[in-house]
Amino acid sequence: MTTGSPNAFGGTRRLAIAITTCAALALGTIAPHATAADAPYPTKPVKFLTNFPAGGPIDILGRALADALQKDLKQPFIVDNRPGAGGNIGADLVAKSPADGYTVLLGIDSTFTINPHLYASMPFAAKDLKPLMIFSSSGLSFGVAPGVKAKTLPEFIAQAKAEPATFSSAGNGSPGHIAAEIFATETGAKITHVPYKGNSPAVLALMGDEVQAGILATPGLLPQVQSGKLRALAVTGKQRSPLLPQVPTVGELGLKGLEFEVLYISMVPAATPEPVMQTLRQSLQKAMALPEVKARLASLDMVPLGETGSAASEHLAASQARYGRIVKATGMKVD
């Protein structure tokens, strides 16, 4: 036997092991080493793209959720504000993003339920995105200016039937705009819509008696109502607002046709894999159950929903159909 025999034997053994391993891989009896693509989602930062300005309700909610998901999934969740065109700009960016779960839209339903009826053309199609979750809903508050004599909503309706009333909103096609048109359609009141560039200017116009009424986000009206500078006659949600518990709902006043809600939602590119969506859903559900997130929702006048799957899709479809009828009947347009 030569002195090199052990090395020769070792080389033969290694060759045999390699051949056996290759055969096992081919037969699928053992798994190949995992690659980066096989690692559990997420493996890098996730972008929460909001399609409305910083400081608004969806931005505030988005930051609370981002903090919770970052702790749960051990990756940064970064809020990126891309406002414009009633949310269409941000939604289009997400629709055209890779369907890998690393770009998630946070917005409100009007981009998908109102805009398709208002814009001559949309930059993305409904099929390009699908709902991940409807987080919550909030009603709006029916506020009137200091110079308005009506003390109740029925009194205001009577006045607006006799003489046209001016309504402020956060802009053409905004939730407050369509809520005002629903008010006119359901009650027979006459209104003139006056759009402003945001909720805050619309509230200021109301305070200055530039307009007589506005159906606006409750948190924006709250300080003025509490100080007595404005009056809230009703809220459009199905239940009273925790921020204005003394103010009746439109349903309590026998005006259920005036019920209106804003839905706070997340959407992802339609081709996003279901396992990725499931990971995000589960983490969002855990976040929605946290005391600090619940407190944030309450401060924003939001009612938790947590709708996913077919329930979320059906809710959005029903809202889109309702608003389509309103837009068609009133001839609403964007600038």
Side-chain angles (χ1 to χ4, degrees):
M1 183 182 295
T2 67
T3 56
S5 296
N7 287 338
F9 177 76
T12 302
R13 183 175 60 185
R14 286 194 296 273
L15 178 60
I17 291 171
I19 292 170
T20 303
T21 300
C22 288
L25 285 170
L27 293 171
T29 55
I30 65 173
H33 290 298
T35 65
D38 298 319
Y41 167 89
T43 61
K44 62 181 182 179
V46 178
K47 182 187 294 184
F48 270 179
L49 192 149
T50 68
N51 54 348
F52 286 89
I58 192 61
D59 176 70
I60 295 170
L61 174 61
R63 293 179 191 278
L65 292 172
D67 288 344
L69 267 66
Q70 182 164 311
K71 292 174 184 174
D72 182 43
L73 296 177
K74 313 303 182 189
Q75 288 290 341
F77 278 72
I78 303 163
V79 176
D80 181 10
N81 300 93
R82 300 295 186 94
N88 283 351
I89 291 174
D92 184 48
L93 287 171
V94 176
K96 292 178 172 58
S97 296
D100 55 9
Y102 290 98
T103 305
V104 178
L105 177 71
L106 303 182
I108 61 175
D109 67 301
S110 61
T111 304
F112 310 97
T113 59
I114 299 175
N115 288 5
H117 304 294
L118 289 178
Y119 287 80
S121 64
M122 292 284 285
F124 61 92
K127 63 179 177 59
D128 296 337
L129 292 161
K130 60 184 176 183
L132 181 64
M133 179 179 288
I134 300 179
F135 303 116
S136 55
S137 69
S138 68
L140 302 175
S141 289
F142 196 111
V144 292
V148 171
K149 295 179 180 180
K151 303 299 182 186
T152 67
L153 187 55
E155 287 179 6
F156 184 85
I157 291 170
Q159 290 182 16
K161 285 181 176 180
E163 185 176 345
T166 51
F167 273 73
S168 68
S169 83
N172 279 327
S174 67
H177 180 192
I178 200 161
E181 298 293 355
I182 290 171
F183 168 78
T185 301
E186 292 288 334
T187 65
K190 304 168 188 174
I191 71 165
T192 299
H193 172 239
V194 184
Y196 289 83
K197 293 183 178 180
N199 199 73
S200 295
V203 172
L204 289 174
L206 203 55
M207 291 174 61
D209 276 315
E210 293 176 26
V211 292
Q212 294 167 293
I215 305 178
L216 302 165
T218 301
L221 282 173
L222 183 63
Q224 315 310 329
V225 172
Q226 289 176 328
S227 66
K229 295 177 181 177
L230 295 175
R231 296 196 308 283
L233 303 185
V235 294
T236 66
K238 295 179 181 179
Q239 55 187 281
R240 291 196 179 198
S241 166
L243 302 182
L244 293 172
Q246 75 281 11
V247 177
T249 67
V250 289
E252 289 177 72
L253 298 174
L255 298 164
K256 283 188 69 65
L258 301 186
E259 287 183 346
F260 180 88
E261 61 184 357
V262 179
L263 302 177
Y264 296 86
I265 64 176
S266 59
M267 307 282 275
V268 292
T272 303
E274 182 56 33
V276 170
M277 292 186 66
Q278 188 61 24
T279 296
L280 283 167
R281 282 195 204 103
Q282 289 173 349
S283 193
L284 286 169
Q285 286 165 345
K286 286 190 278 186
M288 293 287 285
L290 293 173
E292 58 267 32
V293 174
K294 288 182 177 180
R296 180 62 70 189
L297 288 170
S299 72
L300 296 169
D301 197 38
M302 295 183 188
V303 177
L305 293 179
E307 293 180 352
T308 61
S310 60
S313 297
E314 290 167 9
H315 197 161
L316 291 173
S319 295
Q320 184 181 23
R322 181 192 184 198
Y323 303 151
R325 292 191 294 270
I326 297 296
V327 171
K328 185 176 180 180
T330 61
M332 288 174 60
K333 295 179 180 179
V334 294
D335 293 330

